[in-house]
Amino acid sequence: MKLVVQVKLLPTPEQAAALEATLRAANDAATWVAALAHTQRVFRNYDLRKHVYGQVKDRYGLAAQAAQHVIKKVADAYATLHANLRNGHLGRPGSAWRERVQARPIVFRPGAAQPFDDRCLSWQLNARTVSIWTTGGRMKGVAFTASADQLTMLAAHRKGESDLLYRDGMWFLVATCDLPDVPVGAPDGFTGVDLGIANIATTATSTGDGVRHSGKTLNAVRHRHRELRRRLQTKQTKSAKRLLKRRRRAEARFAADLNHTIAKRIVTEAARTGRGIALENLQGIRDRVRLRKPQRVTLHTWSFHQLGHFIAYKAARAGVALVWVDPAYTSQACSACGHVDKKNRPGQARFACTSCGFAEHADVNAARNIAARGVTSWAVSHAA
């Protein structure tokens, strides 16, 4: 499996100026290549290279490897754009949004990430420095800071390219690490994970008690940030804009930290008990669900995809079995008798079966249904 390690660079002012000039030149070149690719309708890496390779080197002062990485970055960006268009993620055919996206070439920010391979970037882990190519020549001794775990992972598993990026006044290197797959054994049952808004995650086995991870704190933080942004945007003063810039991404960092904590607890418990994890496949839920405007804000800031991703990669590292199940009717079906009815769910937190009279917290009942589907899905996929 592949993981990324992000380390913070600590360049001197002279080194920072060289890094800024390099990143700006690479992204200016990428924007120019992207405009030419859009005009000529040439998007494949090999075809683009024949058109622009020499000009990228001459016009922007890039070395051979840097120029090739710029061209590949543009080709990859257009491949992602075209995949999103095919999958309908940028509007339906004929919609104003889709037409607007298709009419404009891709533009790269001056601080956007630029990949470097081992010929352009080398790591000195013991000294905690890197040597990196810049437009002004090879620059050695650029210091970075990293934890002991990050250094261990870089030394043992780093492979492939590393990305240089500039964000919020800081320099970072993001390295790809290729970890060996951990063998997954046959699980002793499954733990179902029901993702929600009132409770971020609720876990339960098909017969056991449930554990609820409340979303009250996260929802309160999001409401406070939303009100703060509204007030500051209304003021339109320089100090308000400075505070908005300083506070941006604070909510996302808080949510990510909370999701990491919840995912670690779920995976640790599954590994301790020898169970697998069953998750709902909620892809496309924002397009399927129709809500009133105040509820849409909550739904669109709901980081269920991130939590699911965290659980999935932590489970893979721990050798815990994981399956994705169909979420249809898990909140309306009775985990005791299987009866499905909208009336089974009289309230947000209450479940009462109209057939057998079984009563339970609604999220715990849904988690039990997900756990049962996980057992069935595993049995079907491993029947051979």
Side-chain angles (χ1 to χ4, degrees), residues 7-259:
V7 301
K8 183 180 178 182
L9 295 179
L10 304 172
T12 63
E14 294 78 13
Q15 291 173 338
L19 292 176
E20 182 180 3
T22 302
L23 208 55
R24 183 176 294 276
N27 285 305
D28 286 348
T31 298
W32 177 78
V33 173
L36 187 142
H38 183 266
T39 303
Q40 301 291 332
R41 312 306 297 172
V42 178
F43 302 113
R44 290 177 64 244
N45 182 23
Y46 180 74
D47 297 334
L48 262 180
R49 194 178 302 171
K50 291 192 295 184
H51 281 77
V52 302
Y53 174 69
Q55 297 179 67
V56 167
K57 290 177 62 179
D58 296 338
R59 293 181 60 169
Y60 297 96
L62 300 182
Q65 284 300 111
Q68 293 194 34
H69 282 304
V70 163
I71 297 168
K72 186 177 183 300
K73 180 167 77 169
V74 173
D76 291 344
Y78 274 113
T80 301
L81 174 64
H82 294 154
N84 286 329
L85 289 170
R86 284 195 305 271
N87 295 327
H89 297 160
L90 298 174
R92 297 184 180 88
S95 66
W97 181 21
R98 188 184 183 98
E99 296 293 335
R100 192 163 57 248
V101 169
Q102 290 178 309
R104 295 181 301 191
I106 292 176
V107 176
F108 293 85
R109 293 177 293 103
Q114 174 66 18
F116 288 80
D117 61 20
D118 287 343
R119 282 174 283 188
C120 302
L121 172 72
S122 60
W123 296 75
Q124 295 80 46
L125 297 178
N126 292 333
R128 298 200 182 188
T129 61
V130 294
S131 171
I132 187 170
W133 175 88
T134 68
T135 51
R138 190 84 176 191
M139 186 167 61
K140 300 181 179 180
V142 182
F144 70 87
T145 179
S147 67
D149 290 341
Q150 287 178 319
L151 289 173
T152 302
M153 184 173 291
L154 286 170
H157 304 295
R158 189 190 67 81
K159 187 176 181 180
E161 299 173 350
S162 302
D163 290 349
L164 173 70
L165 63 96
Y166 182 74
R167 185 177 64 227
D168 295 338
M170 296 175 285
W171 291 94
F172 297 95
L173 273 176
V174 182
T176 302
C177 295
D178 195 356
L179 278 69
D181 292 333
V182 179
V184 177
D188 183 18
F190 273 83
T191 297
V193 182
D194 178 63
L195 304 179
I197 295 175
N199 292 308
I200 298 175
T202 302
T203 62
T205 62
S206 56
T207 57
D209 295 332
V211 177
R212 300 194 299 273
H213 301 272
S214 175
K216 184 177 180 180
T217 301
L218 178 58
N219 290 331
V221 168
R222 282 178 169 157
H223 177 74
R224 186 168 71 249
H225 278 272
R226 195 157 55 240
E227 288 301 308
L228 176 62
R229 284 195 299 270
R230 182 184 61 80
R231 292 199 304 270
L232 292 175
Q233 287 167 354
T234 302
K235 285 182 178 294
Q236 289 291 316
T237 61
K238 288 186 178 180
S239 59
K241 292 177 181 177
R242 280 198 301 269
L243 183 56
L244 273 172
K245 186 176 181 180
R246 189 164 66 245
R247 295 295 299 169
R248 71 187 186 128
R249 282 199 287 269
E251 179 184 329
R253 290 194 297 270
F254 180 85
D257 180 70
L258 186 61
N259 281 339

Side-chain angles (χ1 to χ4, degrees), residues 321-370:
L322 183 137
V323 294
W324 299 88
V325 302
D326 184 2
Y329 305 110
T330 52
S331 62
Q332 299 176 12
C334 176
S335 59
C337 69
H339 177 65
V340 179
D341 194 337
K342 285 185 178 180
K343 296 179 181 178
N344 287 350
R345 187 85 180 264
Q348 185 275 325
R350 183 165 169 253
F351 183 90
C353 182
T354 57
S355 177
C356 69
F358 173 76
E360 180 57 277
H361 190 283
D363 292 341
V364 174
N365 176 76
R368 288 178 178 173
N369 288 328
I370 294 168

